[in-house]
Amino acid sequence: MLRSVFLSAVLLSGVAQAQDIDALKLDTRKNALPVLPKVVAMMQDTVATRGVVEAIPVCKDQAPQLLKEQSEKTGWKMSRVSLRTRNPERGTPDVWEARQLADFNIRAAAGEKVESLESGEIVTENGKPVFRYIRAIPVGDVCLKCHGAADKIEAGLKSELARNYPHDRAFGYEKGQIRGALTVRRPL
């Protein structure tokens, strides 16, 4: 009898945590993901009106600024990470993020749509619960101008990228691949 009560409590605890994680994912999507279309729109507008070279500061400076502003609004830490970084100081994933990105690559290879790849879990950091969330960022048309095949990037643009990103490894992508991810650390 005591054993079945204990098992029931454990099962209910797992169900409750799954519901909590689903609610946290939903709320995090609602408050964090709107930044991504803003970045894409800024990139598209800048490329169309001023050219690709002029769009470098959008990705390098304005996108992180949008994430910083949203972080300040929510109290969550948000950033973009990638397994092939352009800016290692800002975009290098931690162990949890790297594991999720590797899993995203496996899931995408198995046929899951890149735009729907996400993960979230409650972890303990410094003795406190934190909700970690990560959402894949697919390579779109505008991304290919700077992140496509290295031999297809125009010489002037390639030179400007090298000047801005001396340790750049973020090229060679094809449309629809996983460029990286938006990651959120949310204290509970």
Side-chain angles (χ1 to χ4, degrees), residues 15 19 37-38 41 54 61 80 85 130 133 158 172 176 178 186:
V15 170
Q19 288 173 334
K38 287 179 186 176
E54 295 298 319
D61 302 317
R80 295 176 301 163
T85 59
V130 175
Y133 175 83
K158 195 180 285 189
I178 299 168
R186 183 176 171 173

Side-chain angles (χ1 to χ4, degrees), residues 127-179:
K128 297 181 180 169
V130 175
F131 179 65
R132 300 287 312 262
Y133 175 83
I134 189 166
R135 175 77 171 230
I137 300 172
V139 175
D141 289 326
V142 73
C143 307
L144 290 173
K145 298 183 183 314
C146 294
H147 295 286
D151 61 342
K152 303 243 192 244
I153 298 174
E154 167 223 308
L157 174 59
K158 195 180 285 189
S159 173
E160 194 61 24
L161 286 169
R163 190 178 72 71
N164 278 275
Y165 304 106
H167 305 289
D168 188 2
R169 297 180 341 161
F171 48 85
Y173 288 96
E174 294 177 13
K175 185 176 178 176
Q177 286 185 313
I178 299 168
R179 166 66 191 98

